[in-house]
Amino acid sequence: MADEKPPWGVVQWGMVVDTDRCTGCKACVVACRSENNIATVGAEQSAMGRMMDWIRIERMFHGEYPNVQTMFVPMLCQHCGSAPCESVCPVFAAVGTHDGLNAQIYNRCVGTRLCANNCPYHVRMYNFVQPKWPPSMELLLNPDVSVRNEGVMEKCTMCVQRIRRADLDAKVSKRPTEDGELRPACVQSCGAGCLTFGDLNDEESTISKLVKHHAHRNYRIGHVEYHTAPNVIYLRPEKNSEALGA
Amino acid sequence: MSHENLNFRAAEISIPEIYNASFEPIGRSGWRSNVVIGICILMVLTAGVAFARQVLCGFWVTGLHIPVYWGYFIITFVFWIGVAHAGALISALLRLCGAEWKSAVTRVAEVITLFTLPAAASFPLIHVGRTEAAYYCLPFPNHRLLWPNFKSMLVWDVFAISTYLTGSVIFLYVTTVPDLGIARPRMKGWIRTVYTLMSWGWRGTAEEWKRVKEAAALYSVIILPVVISVHTIVSWDFAMQVVPGWHSEVFGPIFFVGALYSGTAAVFTMLCILIWTYPSFRLLITQVHYDMLGRVWLVLGLAWAYLFFNDFLPAYYAHKADKMDYLYYNAFGAYAPHWWMLVIGNFVVPLMCLAFQEFRRSIFPMFVLSIIVNICMYLERVVIIIPGLEIYNKLNYNILPYSISPTEFFIVMGTFGWVIGGLTTFCRIFPILPYWELAETKSRQIEREVAGVPVAYFQSGE
């Protein structure tokens, strides 16, 4: 974290997902895989349900034929303020960080998988297979991100390597990390502008303005049922305000 | 039937006869037990190979996948923890209640705990992804000053199970020392050496007897809260999660009572096998024990049934959606055979049978019933754990059900081999019936004639 703290004290990284803008192109899924060295498990293991997507596109259908509306909901780790996964981990592999992220420490994880059972969003992915890449592709791995072994849990980090890099840059320049200075891979690759990343505590940031401007569309998935206080805020579709739940 | 036939207390058996009957089977090997031990060693070795393969290859060799992260390893873990509760119930609870008839069955129950609890404790180690790093759950000194997460119920599990294992081993050992000392002179060869070493120079002085009795009474009091906490904490592994069917407020008592219920079933299975294997035990384990323990078993079964239905009825009347999804998935969906079998085998059949004294007093039917209850209590853990995870699936690309893989099957069977083989070996080396407790109870027997009927009762021990 930058030594120069922002005037509002504590950073709270968050994301806004505008479901009206999502086209379901899955560019974010691909970008996430290549940024974070997510292993592919092969056709056979995928059919057994062991593929690992840190972000996935949920499809939702509303209405009766012929008036069917399709909605795409990008689902990623919600970086809960009160995370069900953190309290059940026996070894503090799932911990909340000072800047509002929900971190996963791969070296500390022993693989009890209870965090994944307890996650209401099903975004925690377990390495059932020892990850392997063809030798030629090993050079394509991102050096900033560790490669996980078989037997540990992994999940969306909001591209914490980019956040830490930006924090360091800001520290060198003796200034707080600025809004728009960094974007996770999914945000960067989103052509439709569905995803926005920023500091929720900064009232001048793009993300805070978005949340305020679309106050009538704000929705935090699972917060009503599980009181998870997610840092990912969804914007309901304008047309179908009942979507995403009550 | 006459009074004498019904009552072990009035049965004509002298203390020397008890002595002979208790220690006769020790050191003898028959082809039957050799075959049993041989098969068990084979099962444990197969499990070892399967576990080695799982460690080397990765967790894909199991049937687990992304929504269903817990499977038969955890089911068998809960099952063995449940069976291990037999020791606490019969030794501690009956000892505290002053039930004189309990003497013959105490050590059987404690020895079941001795072998089932390590079987249960092995499963958390088998089922974690990185077994070599599982010691992170212990608070060991390290230069990074990292502690385990004391908020996590898995850490509570570690402490609860290790406390119970230590406590029950000490409990068993303290009450065995007098028998080892008493039986030492009649033993031969290496068994005599073992007895000499393990009896710590037992002489049978009044002071030693006082200490053994005090220790047994003290441990009975101490072990009861431990045993209640152990299975409550195991139930919290599920009850504190958001998974429907797991998250339930009555899981603490239902797991505890279910554990006692299945533990008593295991004690009955063991008693029947003992009587069949060693005919001399028929003098000591009589119909009275079957009758009395059968009554305890019936009460436990009714309590379990009450809590089991209480889990669903409030949710049904309150129209609680996720719990109802879970109930319908169980009762009319993929797990309907399991669910109805467990309702019938755990509730209907035992209630019908155990309510009748004639049934409680017959050995073979009780053996069959104990096997049925053991199987159905295993099924109860299956329908608690798997369906909840399956209907909790919110992934739209993956609706696979979970099924057991050969690796999981062999590892689970290996723990059955460990328990059965361990019990058989124990009976060949150590006295499975507590001679000193039986003889002590016998020596306090007083017979008197009341209104022309001979009545036997016991003088108070202390």
Side-chain angles (χ1 to χ4, degrees), chain B residues 156-448:
Chain B
W156 307 343
D157 262 354
V158 171
F159 291 114
I161 294 172
S162 52
T163 309
Y164 186 35
L165 186 59
T166 322
S168 57
V169 168
I170 294 174
F171 193 13
L172 172 65
Y173 185 55
V174 162
T175 53
T176 314
V177 166
D179 272 0
L180 297 177
I182 292 165
R184 194 175 67 89
R186 67 174 279 163
M187 296 302 151
K188 295 180 198 76
W190 63 272
I191 293 185
R192 183 170 182 149
T193 318
V194 170
Y195 274 46
T196 311
L197 291 174
M198 288 186 70
S199 59
W200 290 94
W202 171 268
R203 287 167 298 162
T205 59
E207 176 67 18
E208 283 171 349
W209 279 114
K210 187 166 161 276
R211 289 193 178 183
V212 162
K213 284 186 180 176
E214 277 175 2
L218 193 63
Y219 274 122
S220 312
V221 179
I222 292 173
I223 204 107
L224 274 180
V226 174
V227 89
I228 292 171
S229 72
V230 170
H231 219 61
T232 312
I233 287 169
V234 168
S235 82
W236 286 344
D237 289 355
F238 310 102
M240 290 187 178
Q241 316 304 322
V242 299
V243 182
W246 283 19
H247 175 76
S248 165
E249 289 80 1
V250 300
F251 261 22
I254 201 176
F255 270 53
F256 176 63
V257 172
L260 297 181
Y261 187 45
S262 64
T264 316
V267 171
F268 267 115
T269 315
M270 182 74 183
L271 283 179
C272 296
I273 294 173
L274 276 180
I275 289 178
W276 175 68
T277 323
Y278 305 114
S280 71
F281 285 178
R282 274 172 197 266
L283 284 173
L284 303 174
I285 304 168
T286 60
Q287 286 185 327
V288 178
H289 297 98
Y290 271 68
D291 192 5
M292 303 299 266
L293 199 56
R295 289 179 199 186
V296 176
W297 199 20
L298 176 62
V299 171
L300 288 171
L302 289 172
W304 174 85
Y306 162 68
L307 289 166
F308 182 76
F309 293 117
N310 191 19
D311 193 17
F312 293 115
L313 282 179
Y316 176 78
Y317 280 94
H319 289 254
K320 208 158 175 277
D322 56 348
K323 193 82 181 178
M324 281 304 99
D325 287 348
Y326 166 74
L327 177 62
Y328 290 143
Y329 189 73
N330 272 343
F332 308 112
Y335 282 84
H338 299 68
W339 204 82
W340 289 107
M341 211 171 131
L342 94 86
V343 169
I344 293 167
N346 265 347
F347 173 59
V348 181
V349 173
L351 180 69
M352 300 298 241
C353 296
L354 289 174
F356 300 102
Q357 197 178 47
E358 283 76 13
F359 188 93
R360 290 200 301 269
R361 281 166 183 262
S362 32
I363 289 167
F364 186 69
M366 285 296 268
F367 177 68
V368 174
L369 185 68
S370 72
I371 297 285
I372 289 175
V373 171
N374 273 323
I375 292 171
C376 289
M377 285 307 289
Y378 193 89
L379 289 180
E380 189 222 0
R381 278 70 185 242
V382 173
V383 301
I384 280 175
I385 291 165
I386 299 174
L389 287 173
E390 281 184 359
I391 61 165
Y392 188 50
N393 187 351
K394 289 178 186 163
L395 306 169
N396 56 11
Y397 59 87
N398 182 5
I399 49 165
L400 279 177
Y402 164 79
S403 58
I404 191 168
S405 72
T407 308
E408 286 167 293
F409 178 78
F410 286 126
I411 291 176
V412 165
M413 289 317 288
T415 59
F416 278 86
W418 152 260
V419 171
I420 296 167
L423 289 170
T424 317
T425 316
F426 186 95
C427 294
R428 277 168 57 160
I429 302 174
F430 295 107
I432 189 76
L433 296 184
Y435 161 70
W436 72 266
E437 284 189 62
L438 290 164
E440 191 255 1
T441 314
K442 181 76 189 169
S443 66
R444 285 191 281 111
Q445 181 184 322
I446 290 175
E447 221 166 306
R448 214 173 257 179

Side-chain angles (χ1 to χ4, degrees), chain A residues 55-100:
Chain A
I55 181 169
R56 63 176 190 268
I57 307 292
E58 300 271 357
R59 287 171 303 173
M60 289 180 167
F61 301 102
H62 296 279
E64 293 288 323
Y65 178 82
N67 302 313
V68 183
Q69 288 181 332
T70 310
M71 190 173 82
F72 297 108
V73 182
M75 177 54 70
L76 66 161
C77 175
Q78 307 289 303
H79 293 271
C80 306
S82 162
C85 55
E86 285 172 13
S87 54
V88 299
C89 178
V91 292
F92 284 124
V95 281
T97 65
H98 55 82
D99 46 3

